């Protein structure tokens, strides 16, 4: 009987998924686990990689799905009590699955792991900017703590609870924020576990990274505030959003300075101007949704 089901959504993931799977099949565990890849690529290259590993169950979808829906598809065939969602560009440490199971048995139903930058591949400005912006709450030097939301790049979820809450919504981006905040609002605590460590490959172009941040501003307003905002709150957002954005980026910088090692602190220092520019883009996206009634972006 599989105790953990590891679910990986894939779209044209052939460049990274081999490293991801290699790390999964050599995990140091004393129990059974399964690996499920749900793929919607328009070619067979991801399938060819998966077929090298007898431990991997490959599920092919002919139509492209949003990542959350790919995860939902995997859950429908999953046997494990604990669902472990990881992205195809995440390489787990050898003890990550065992540590996840231990943390789960300690009564933690929903938790995220630490995400560090995978540095064995060449990293550039875009790599560092994306990682230090999006993963500023996931350093392995951070202690166990309660979180307000979690990333699906490395997310562990009790299967019964996941089904009870009907899984991920079928939206293009930030489906993890929507789900985990929804679960948290209904009484389930979210945790961060630094013992569950993965290394994420960041290879997007600088244009793509900046676009993701702009879209995040749009989608965050639509997911978190649109159905709750009053006219007064809308006015306050309009007036004070630049201040809130400045504080948001300052918090990101401080977390990176606090929880990274020496080299990470140095990198953070040099990224400060770029991170504040990212904050400006996020603000513009938020304003677009707030003032221009923008729809949720369908870019993934």
């Amino acid at each position: 009987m599989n105790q953990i089901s590891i679910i990986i959504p894939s779209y044209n993931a052939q460049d990274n998924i081999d490293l991801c799977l290699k790390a999964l099949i050599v995990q140091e565990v004393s129990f059974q686990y399964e690996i499920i890849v749900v793929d919607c690529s328009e070619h067979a290259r991801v399938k060819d990689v998966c077929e090298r590993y007898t431990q991997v169950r490959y599920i092919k979808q002919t139509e492209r799905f949003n990542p959350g829906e790919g995860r939902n598809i995997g859950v429908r065939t999953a046997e494990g009590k604990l669902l472990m969602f990881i992205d195809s560009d995440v390489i787990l440490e050898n003890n990550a699955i065992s540590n996840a199971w231990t943390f789960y048995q300690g009564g933690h139903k929903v938790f995220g792991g630490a995400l560090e930058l995978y540095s064995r591949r060449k990293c550039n400005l875009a790599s560092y900017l994306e990682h230090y912006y999006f993963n500023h709450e996931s350093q392995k030097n951070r202690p166990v703590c309660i979180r307000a939301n979690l990333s699906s790049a490395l997310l562990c979820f009790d299967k019964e609870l996941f089904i009870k809450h009907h899984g991920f919504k079928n939206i293009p981006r930030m489906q993890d924020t929507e789900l985990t905040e929804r679960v948290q609002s209904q009484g389930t605590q979210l945790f961060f576990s630094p013992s569950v460590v993965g290394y994420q490959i960041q290879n997007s172009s600088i244009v793509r990274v900046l676009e993701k941040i702009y879209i995040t501003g749009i989608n965050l307003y639509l997911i978190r505030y649109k159905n709750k905002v009053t006219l007064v709150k809308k006015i306050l957002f309009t007036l004070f959003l630049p201040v809130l954005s400045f504080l948001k980026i300052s918090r990101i910088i401080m977390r990176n300075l606090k929880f990274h090692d020496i080299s990470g602190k140095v990198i953070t220092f040099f990224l400060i101007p770029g991170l504040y520019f990212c904050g400006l883009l996020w603000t513009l996206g938020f304003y677009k949704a707030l003032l221009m009634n923008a729809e949720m972006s369908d870019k993934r």
Side-chain angles (χ1 to χ4, degrees):
M1 174 67 179
N2 291 305
Q3 303 289 5
I4 295 181
S5 297
I6 303 163
I7 299 169
I8 309 167
S10 162
Y11 173 71
N12 291 347
Q14 62 277 0
D15 292 338
N16 299 323
I17 200 167
D18 190 42
L19 283 173
C20 175
L21 296 177
K22 281 180 179 176
L24 291 177
I25 64 171
V26 296
Q27 290 288 306
E28 300 169 356
V29 296
S30 58
F31 53 84
Q32 290 184 304
Y33 63 95
E34 62 179 347
I35 305 166
I36 303 169
V37 175
V38 186
D39 179 46
C40 63
S41 304
E42 64 271 18
H43 50 67
R45 280 177 280 177
V46 173
K47 180 182 179 182
D48 292 342
V49 173
C50 292
E51 287 181 343
R52 299 174 196 165
Y53 305 99
T54 57
Q55 304 95 321
V56 176
R57 190 193 321 160
Y58 176 83
I59 300 174
K60 177 67 176 179
Q61 297 291 301
T62 55
E63 293 186 11
R64 187 176 179 186
F65 48 67
N66 291 316
E69 184 59 21
R71 297 181 182 100
N72 290 340
I73 292 168
V75 171
R76 290 171 201 150
T77 67
E79 298 177 355
K81 296 178 182 177
L82 178 64
L83 306 172
M84 191 171 193
F85 301 105
I86 68 170
D87 284 352
S88 60
D89 58 4
V90 171
I91 296 95
L92 295 185
E93 284 192 347
N94 286 354
N95 60 0
I97 295 176
S98 178
N99 289 347
W101 183 247
T102 300
F103 199 69
Y104 173 66
Q105 289 185 307
H108 306 93
K109 298 293 187 181
V110 186
F111 57 94
L115 278 171
E116 297 291 333
L117 182 62
Y118 186 75
S119 57
R120 295 185 184 180
R121 286 191 180 178
K122 185 177 180 181
C123 297
N124 54 27
L125 175 61
S127 306
Y128 289 114
L129 203 58
E130 182 170 14
H131 178 74
Y132 280 66
Y133 181 90
F134 284 109
N135 294 331
H136 64 276
E137 294 184 289
S138 302
Q139 302 91 346
K140 64 182 179 181
N141 293 326
R142 194 179 188 192
V144 173
C145 59
I146 296 173
R147 290 283 306 276
N149 54 57
L150 295 166
S151 167
S152 56
L154 179 47
L155 173 63
C156 299
F157 219 113
D158 175 79
K159 184 182 178 183
E160 289 186 3
L161 187 65
F162 183 88
I163 294 171
K164 175 183 174 181
H165 288 280
H166 309 292
F168 292 97
K169 282 194 175 180
N170 192 16
I171 55 178
R173 292 191 65 82
M174 298 183 67
Q175 65 287 131
D176 45 8
T177 298
E178 190 284 327
L179 171 60
T180 55
E181 289 188 357
R182 171 162 41 96
V183 170
Q184 190 267 349
S185 70
Q186 296 180 31
T188 298
Q189 282 191 320
L190 313 177
F191 291 90
F192 168 71
S193 173
S195 65
V196 183
V197 181
Y199 296 86
Q200 190 166 30
I201 299 168
Q202 304 284 13
N203 55 8
S204 298
S205 68
I206 189 66
V207 172
R208 180 62 181 138
V209 171
L210 297 178
E211 182 181 42
K212 287 179 185 178
I213 293 167
Y214 175 73
I215 291 172
T216 300
I218 296 173
N219 289 0
L220 183 68
Y221 172 79
L222 297 174
I223 290 170
R224 187 180 290 171
Y225 301 110
K226 182 179 179 181
N227 296 326
K228 302 175 183 178
V229 70
T230 62
L231 179 59
V232 173
K233 286 183 178 179
K234 203 166 190 177
I235 293 170
L236 291 174
F237 267 136
T238 302
L239 293 175
F240 293 106
L241 188 61
V243 176
L244 294 174
S245 176
F246 177 83
L247 293 174
K248 168 187 169 71
I249 299 302
S250 298
R251 184 178 63 177
I252 288 173
I253 292 167
M254 293 306 297
R255 282 176 174 161
N256 282 313
L257 287 173
K258 182 176 182 179
F259 295 117
H260 273 299
D261 57 18
I262 294 298
S263 62
K265 295 181 194 300
V266 173
I267 292 168
T268 301
F269 178 79
F270 283 105
L271 288 177
I272 287 175
L275 288 169
Y276 278 113
F277 180 71
C278 291
L280 173 61
L281 291 178
W282 179 89
T283 303
L284 292 174
F286 198 103
Y287 269 135
K288 183 175 181 180
L290 175 70
L291 301 176
M292 300 174 65
N293 295 317
E295 297 295 326
M296 185 169 290
S297 173
D298 59 358
K299 293 186 177 180
R300 290 162 281 189

